[in-house]
Amino acid sequence: MQKRLRYLFYICVLMPIGLRAQTMADSLVVDTAMLETVGQRSGFKLFDMERRVNMLGIGAANLLDTYLSPEKYKGTEVRLSTQVYRWWKKNPAWWMRHQNMFSFQYASPRADNSNFMGAEYSYSFAMRYEWTPSYNWSVEAGGEGEVAVGFLYSTRNSNNPAQAKARLNVGPSAAAAFRFPLFRRQAVVRYEAYVPLLGVMFSPNYGQSYYEIFTRGNYDHNVVPTTVGCAPVLRHQLTLDIALRRFALRVGYMGDMQQASVNNLKYHSYSHLLLIGLVRSIYRK
């Protein structure tokens, strides 16, 4: 009789513990499913994910190219950007980002007696390591390389009316993201920055015509090595992503500040752009 009472006591004590363990396991499954859903909607990676971002930027441009004119030109810039983020399969903590950008500029000086028209295409590849201090925070750091070609045309000049642009830069790249609920939806604030340290660029020399460049080649040091000292560049952007059903709506700001002082010529291009775009996450378990 005592043995039966003892067995009954053990059953009464252990049964709630087993039920509680089962409940905790069930809740863990629910939480995992919830996290996967949030990952799909918010654009944050879970398991194997690829993010595609398409953005349109419109804003102000400030241009100076002393080869074409000593005056500063101010006007408008339109920029199209596509980004693809992927994990590195050998180590999911590393992100790879491919970015293509097309920019178009139209500007005038204070006298409003001429115009600059410019266009540029650039491709950049970044590889960054990601830390996740908490579920809400994500920090990335690594390196980035960029190649760009374009032109700047002056409607006033009859001799040497255009300037060709080409550059190759490498330097550190970093990003940080924070996600939070906003109006019952997932939202992500993200900041990215890129500062090239070394590179090469094309530039005519002071007083050198393009006819001389084409006929005599690089006799006057037209391919110039650059550093952060003679050609400082800062490109950064702050964005807000708001999750919708299958996409996330992105709004934000991009600042692209480029300067160069080579071959006795000065050049700068300052862009301040309002961004709007869509973020799509391709999710694979």
Side-chain angles (χ1 to χ4, degrees):
M1 184 67 179
Q2 291 181 350
K3 285 185 177 182
R4 292 180 180 178
L5 291 174
R6 189 182 304 169
Y7 290 150
L8 182 61
F9 172 77
Y10 288 155
I11 291 173
C12 292
V13 171
L14 294 178
M15 184 176 293
I17 298 176
L19 291 175
R20 180 174 178 80
Q22 180 64 36
T23 303
M24 292 177 63
D26 293 341
S27 65
L28 182 61
V29 173
V30 172
D31 289 344
T32 304
M34 182 271 292
L35 291 178
E36 293 176 3
T37 304
V38 169
Q40 289 177 329
R41 294 179 180 176
S42 67
F44 268 77
K45 63 178 190 177
L46 291 169
F47 303 99
D48 183 18
M49 184 178 290
E50 173 181 300
R51 288 204 305 269
R52 295 181 178 269
V53 185
N54 296 311
M55 293 185 294
L56 170 66
I58 301 176
N62 185 317
L63 306 175
L64 171 68
D65 192 323
T66 56
Y67 182 77
L68 298 176
S69 171
E71 292 289 329
K72 295 179 182 178
Y73 284 61
K74 296 181 180 180
T76 304
E77 178 174 341
V78 177
R79 184 175 300 200
L80 302 174
S81 172
T82 63
Q83 297 176 338
V84 178
Y85 293 82
R86 291 192 182 98
W87 287 12
W88 189 31
K89 293 182 179 180
K90 294 184 179 181
N91 187 346
W94 285 92
W95 274 100
M96 296 181 294
R97 191 212 65 196
H98 302 267
Q99 178 173 262
N100 294 276
M101 287 196 298
F102 304 85
S103 63
F104 308 91
Q105 299 168 325
Y106 188 85
S108 304
R110 289 177 297 175
D112 199 20
N113 56 1
S114 62
N115 297 297
F116 271 178
M117 293 184 291
E120 183 179 87
Y121 164 75
S122 68
Y123 167 78
S124 63
F125 173 78
M127 193 163 185
R128 298 193 290 243
Y129 187 87
E130 182 183 39
W131 293 270
T132 52
S134 67
Y135 180 74
N136 299 92
W137 279 100
S138 173
V139 180
E140 302 171 22
E144 184 170 346
E146 179 189 29
V147 58
V149 293
F151 71 90
L152 192 62
Y153 175 77
S154 173
T155 60
R156 185 177 182 180
N157 295 1
S158 58
N159 185 27
N160 292 336
Q163 165 76 298
K165 297 192 293 181
R167 69 177 185 274
L168 171 65
N169 293 323
V170 293
S173 175
F178 176 74
R179 65 175 160 187
F180 59 96
L182 180 66
F183 304 121
R184 298 184 180 181
R185 296 185 179 273
Q186 286 291 328
V188 182
V189 173
R190 183 176 180 85
Y191 177 78
E192 295 188 38
Y194 168 53
V195 181
L197 300 181
L198 300 171
V200 293
M201 68 177 294
F202 167 81
S203 173
N205 215 314
Y206 181 78
Q208 182 187 21
S209 68
Y210 272 81
Y211 175 78
E212 293 177 290
I213 297 174
F214 294 145
T215 57
R216 300 181 62 182
N218 184 33
Y219 83 98
D220 210 6
H221 307 291
N222 302 125
V223 179
V224 185
T226 58
T227 65
V228 69
C230 65
V233 175
L234 170 63
R235 180 182 299 130
H236 63 141
Q237 65 181 41
L238 178 66
T239 58
L240 170 65
D241 297 348
I242 302 175
L244 303 177
R245 287 194 125 187
R246 303 181 66 180
F247 296 89
L249 175 65
R250 169 169 290 188
V251 293
Y253 159 81
M254 174 185 285
D256 192 353
M257 277 65 75
Q258 303 180 29
Q259 289 183 236
S261 179
V262 296
N263 285 348
N264 301 306
L265 297 172
K266 292 184 179 180
Y267 166 81
H268 77 224
S269 173
Y270 304 144
S271 303
H272 300 279
L273 307 172
L274 174 66
L275 300 176
I276 185 168
L278 293 175
V279 182
R280 182 188 178 193
S281 296
I282 301 174
Y283 176 84
R284 306 179 188 89
K285 242 183 179 182

